[in-house]
Amino acid sequence: MQQGKDIISKYHTYLRLEKSLSPNTLDAYMTDLDKLLRFVASENRPILEITYQDLQQFVAQLRDIGIHPRSQARIISGIKSFYRFLLLDGYTDKDPTELLETPKIGFKLPEVLTENEINKILDSIDLSLPEGQRNRAMLEVLYSCGLRVSELTGLRYMDVYFDEGFVRVEGKGGKQRLVPISETAIREIKNYLYDRNLVAVKKGHEDILFLSRRGTGLSRIMVFHIIKQQAEMAGIHKNVSPHTFRHSFATHLLEGGANLRAIQEMLGHDNITTTEIYTHINREFLRKEILEHHPRNKKR
């Protein structure tokens, strides 16, 4: 334990003096390294015994919780720097990061679920379980409103305007917006409230809509695990995350003829160019439809 602290302290000195990093860059390196250290602690493994397979698992977790590929690449670069230091100072004679690949950064269409796949996931939820109705209501809101996972976990009971059919969402930078909510989602929330009233709510979480069984708000990672589990149970083999529901929401709106500006407002995008990614999805969808259904493309 003490050895690990000494190594980190020496690495900090190495970055500051030998690499002459600026204070901000130095902080960024140490913050990214801390992510690896917390992973190492959770695995109960000494830092010097970490293997390439361990690092692959760490990177997979970064991807699974929605860390952007550009941020993943930066974190991996910092970890490679740390292991180069360990080699230089003789702490190890092996570099487990040698074969570690950084994610490709470039334009990539987000994974999208069909409406049928969304329904399959929702229908796979076991409503006889204590958390069943909560999960169904939660995923219905996620899809019906196109929320970010942080917006979903922060949603309060007072943010749902049942009669008006809107939810008030606090997005990035504390910016608030009103998003229409479907009648289906409202019905699922009302059904969930019966179960919610049976939970012993912890102080400070009284107004949070979606609660854990411990009476606290759900974490983003918990929502991710719930979605992964339900997608597997539904037999969906795509890489599904909370953001997949948001992408699907926007894509289905566009396919249904919604105005791009309206989608921008509902998603809480500051810049229309962020929303325009969904026009690429729509073109791809149309191309697929033509290839599958146009008489000139049908096999004779």
Side-chain angles (χ1 to χ4, degrees):
M1 187 75 175
Q2 185 57 46
Q3 184 192 27
K5 290 181 179 178
D6 290 342
I7 291 173
I8 303 307
S9 177
K10 288 181 180 179
Y11 178 59
H12 186 278
T13 303
Y14 162 78
L15 291 177
R16 184 168 56 87
L17 299 180
E18 295 190 38
K19 302 296 285 185
S20 301
L21 297 185
S22 69
N24 285 344
T25 305
L26 178 59
D27 285 347
Y29 267 74
M30 297 309 294
T31 298
D32 289 341
L33 178 60
D34 186 58
K35 292 180 175 64
L36 175 64
L37 296 177
R38 279 186 276 133
F39 168 77
V40 168
S42 70
E43 295 292 306
N44 199 26
R45 298 282 299 280
I47 188 71
L48 296 178
E49 293 180 16
I50 290 298
T51 65
Y52 168 65
Q53 288 74 23
D54 294 325
L55 292 174
Q56 279 187 311
Q57 186 180 346
F58 169 68
V59 172
Q61 284 191 10
L62 295 178
R63 183 175 62 249
D64 288 347
I65 62 174
I67 301 294
H68 192 278
R70 197 173 299 279
S71 298
Q72 290 178 41
R74 188 199 67 232
I75 293 167
I76 292 170
S77 175
I79 291 170
K80 285 177 177 284
S81 167
F82 176 63
Y83 276 94
R84 281 196 298 271
F85 159 75
L86 294 180
L87 279 169
L88 285 170
D89 269 40
Y91 286 107
T92 183
D93 58 359
K94 295 178 182 177
D95 182 3
T97 70
E98 194 173 6
L99 299 176
L100 200 62
E101 295 183 353
T102 55
K104 292 179 182 178
I105 301 169
F107 180 78
K108 183 179 182 298
L109 293 178
E111 195 80 82
V112 175
L113 295 167
T114 65
E115 291 181 65
N116 185 47
E117 287 171 332
I118 292 281
N119 289 332
K120 277 186 176 180
I121 291 174
L122 291 170
D123 290 342
S124 73
I125 297 170
D126 186 351
L127 297 181
S128 68
L129 297 175
E131 67 275 13
Q133 184 56 48
R134 179 203 66 192
N135 292 350
R136 187 174 178 92
M138 186 172 67
L139 299 193
E140 187 65 56
V141 170
L142 193 65
Y143 171 60
S144 293
C145 301
L147 304 186
R148 299 178 177 97
V149 65
S150 57
E151 295 169 348
L152 179 78
T153 56
L155 199 63
R156 299 173 298 171
Y157 175 77
M158 63 182 290
D159 292 327
V160 184
Y161 296 89
F162 293 94
D163 295 334
E164 294 83 358
F166 282 91
V167 290
R168 181 174 57 194
V169 179
E170 186 167 311
K172 290 183 177 180
K175 292 182 180 177
Q176 293 189 348
R177 67 185 189 277
L178 287 175
V179 180
I181 183 171
S182 69
E183 291 182 9
T184 303
I186 288 175
R187 184 177 66 249
E188 297 294 353
I189 292 173
K190 287 181 176 178
N191 289 340
Y192 158 62
L193 292 179
Y194 293 106
D195 297 326
R196 187 189 183 281
N197 290 335
L198 301 176
V199 176
V201 185
K202 294 286 177 66
K203 188 176 180 181
H205 298 263
E206 293 88 353
D207 200 31
I208 295 295
L209 181 58
F210 297 113
L211 296 171
S212 70
R213 281 179 285 182
R214 299 188 303 275
T216 59
L218 292 168
S219 68
R220 291 184 296 175
I221 292 177
M222 188 63 193
V223 175
F224 170 83
H225 283 307
I226 290 168
I227 288 174
K228 274 285 187 189
Q229 183 180 43
Q230 293 307 146
E232 287 175 9
M233 291 181 69
I236 308 296
H237 302 296
K238 294 178 179 178
N239 184 24
V240 182
S241 71
H243 220 62
T244 310
F245 279 67
R246 180 169 160 88
H247 287 314
S248 303
F249 159 83
T251 305
H252 297 166
L253 276 178
L254 192 63
E255 289 170 0
N259 180 280
L260 200 60
R261 287 284 178 188
I263 298 173
Q264 178 191 7
E265 289 292 324
M266 284 185 275
L267 291 174
H269 286 162
D270 289 330
N271 195 324
I272 189 67
T273 57
T274 311
T275 315
E276 282 174 348
I277 187 173
Y278 297 106
T279 63
H280 293 277
I281 297 172
N282 197 38
R283 290 184 200 125
E284 193 68 20
F285 169 81
L286 291 173
R287 180 177 178 275
K288 183 171 178 288
E289 288 295 291
I290 289 170
L291 288 174
E292 286 185 2
H293 302 294
H294 195 282
R296 290 294 185 199
N297 290 305
K298 289 181 178 178
K299 291 182 181 178
R300 290 181 172 83

